[in-house]
Amino acid sequence: MNTNDTHSPGGAAAGSLSEYLLGLSLSVILTAVPFAVVMSGTLGETLSIILILLCAIGQVMVQLVFFLHMNTSSQQMWNSVSGIFVVLLVVILIVGSLWIMQHLNHNMLMGH
Amino acid sequence: MANMVLKAPRPGYTGYVEQEHHHDYGGDTVFGFWIYILSDCVLFATLFAVFAVLQSNFAGTIQAKDLFELDYVLAETALLLASSFTFGLAVLSANKKSMAGLVVWLGITFALGAGFLYMEINEFIHFTHEGAAAWSSGAWSAFYGLIGTHGLHVFAGMLWMLVLFGLLFKEGLSDNNIVRLMCLSLFWHFLDIIWICVFSFVYLMGVL
């Protein structure tokens, strides 16, 4: 009757061993690939950067799903909504800083 | 309908609501802690932004490219990832009400965290000897600011584990302790996620 009994507090579903093992294996792969690429230096710089970015985003997603058990259930809606809001803040913060500082460099140093 | 007769109330009926709906205070605590984690995310975002802006301002000091050793960073990464996994196993033990399992896995997590921190401090000492100190140049200040803040968080997580050990031995697997464990679990997994960004953006892209 009380569904809260089968869940940990905060709506964070209790994971299972297979979930953690899958998360660990995916994380190992997504760590090994970018390290191998950069250490061997086989790919060019641009391709390497794209690969590092993709693996990083992938591993963050993997850990959010398999270690932090985030999902789209209504019990976790506030967790997800606040998380998405913070992702927006982070993007504005980082992209905005880089944008402003690049213009500043351009106008102050690279000018006449 | 005026002549409708009400049935006699069941025995013991008082007319009051006796069983209030159970309020999930523990859940509120974990959600509040999640909000703290998100604000910590913004803190790290500012440090990443500072690093991104200053990362090439070496001002004549030794360059990151000449100093970073990727196999060393890979070992640090492995330690932290393994500790994130063992923390998951600790939570699984707690869910199974296994105090022994919880203490063992939490102890292993603590050891792995300590190993990570030892390697990081070692690296800082090595870099400082090579002429890349926190006060050498803008790029190195940003490097130590970012990585050092992550390291401080790991240290705080380890202190928290020690306190939790004490509380576990005192109170056992009480509801309060489970809530504390859940908050620490969020914190520890969050630190691993930050480290993914650190090794990707600072170390891997730093040597390219």
Side-chain angles (χ1 to χ4, degrees):
Chain A
M1 187 184 130
N2 188 354
T3 48
N4 278 333
D5 286 346
T6 52
H7 286 82
S8 345
S16 61
L17 180 61
S18 55
E19 217 178 334
Y20 280 111
L21 281 171
L22 186 58
L24 178 71
S25 343
L26 286 174
S27 294
V28 167
I29 294 169
L30 288 170
T31 302
V33 168
F35 268 96
V37 164
V38 174
M39 283 162 105
S40 65
T42 42
L43 288 181
E45 195 176 320
T46 321
L47 265 180
S48 302
I49 287 178
I50 293 171
L51 198 84
I52 292 170
L53 277 177
L54 287 179
C55 287
I57 294 169
Q59 197 178 344
V60 169
M61 291 304 210
V62 162
Q63 298 212 355
L64 281 177
V65 171
F66 292 103
F67 288 171
L68 288 169
H69 316 298
M70 295 224 26
N71 56 46
T72 51
S73 77
S74 61
Q75 230 188 348
Q76 291 207 10
M77 195 186 73
W78 282 110
N79 291 15
S80 309
V81 168
S82 49
I84 291 165
F85 174 62
V86 166
V87 168
L88 182 73
L89 282 187
V90 167
V91 169
I92 292 173
L93 218 154
I94 292 180
V95 175
S97 299
L98 284 173
W99 192 23
I100 291 170
M101 293 313 285
Q102 213 152 34
H103 275 259
L104 200 65
N105 274 339
H106 185 77
N107 290 330
M108 304 290 286
L109 301 173
M110 307 302 170
H112 317 286
Chain B
M1 298 303 249
N3 57 351
M4 200 181 104
V5 179
L6 284 173
K7 276 189 285 182
R10 61 181 165 77
Y13 179 72
T14 59
Y16 293 106
V17 179
E18 285 153 352
Q19 268 200 313
E20 281 287 344
H21 179 71
H22 170 67
H23 193 81
D24 188 12
Y25 287 108
D28 288 353
T29 307
V30 176
F31 179 64
F33 194 75
W34 172 248
I35 299 293
Y36 155 71
I37 297 263
L38 293 178
S39 72
D40 225 13
C41 250
V42 175
L43 167 75
F44 276 107
T46 53
L47 290 169
F48 271 106
V50 169
F51 179 81
V53 167
L54 294 176
Q55 70 185 132
S56 46
N57 298 6
F58 288 108
T61 53
I62 186 164
Q63 305 237 331
K65 216 177 270 201
D66 307 323
L67 213 46
F68 286 168
E69 285 160 34
L70 284 186
D71 11 352
Y72 196 80
V73 180
L74 188 57
E76 284 180 275
T77 306
L79 282 178
L80 207 60
L81 178 60
S83 83
S84 210
F85 176 68
T86 54
F87 205 114
L89 298 182
V91 171
L92 287 183
S93 302
N95 285 341
K96 280 186 281 181
K97 302 282 168 219
S98 158
M99 178 74 167
L102 172 59
V103 168
V104 167
W105 286 118
L106 210 54
I108 293 174
T109 307
F110 182 88
L112 290 167
F116 171 82
L117 212 56
Y118 171 78
M119 286 188 80
E120 193 164 72
I121 292 169
N122 232 9
E123 188 185 41
F124 281 3
I125 293 171
H126 169 64
F127 282 5
T128 304
H129 278 308
E130 296 290 324
W135 50 89
S136 301
S137 59
W140 286 114
S141 294
F143 171 85
Y144 284 100
L146 173 59
I147 316 269
T149 305
H150 179 269
L152 274 180
H153 275 75
V154 172
F155 183 64
M158 287 166 58
L159 283 185
W160 190 349
M161 276 180 215
L162 289 181
V163 173
L164 193 58
F165 274 128
L167 286 166
L168 279 171
F169 289 128
K170 200 173 138 214
E171 294 176 14
L173 284 164
S174 62
D175 285 351
N176 278 340
N177 276 344
I178 296 293
V179 169
R180 288 167 186 143
L181 181 73
M182 286 304 156
C183 290
L184 181 53
S185 156
L186 281 182
F187 187 68
W188 200 257
H189 291 312
F190 162 73
L191 288 183
D192 198 28
I193 289 177
I194 295 295
W195 184 256
I196 296 169
C197 301
V198 168
F199 79 69
S200 300
F201 294 107
V202 177
Y203 288 102
L204 289 179
M205 291 192 182
V207 297
L208 277 178

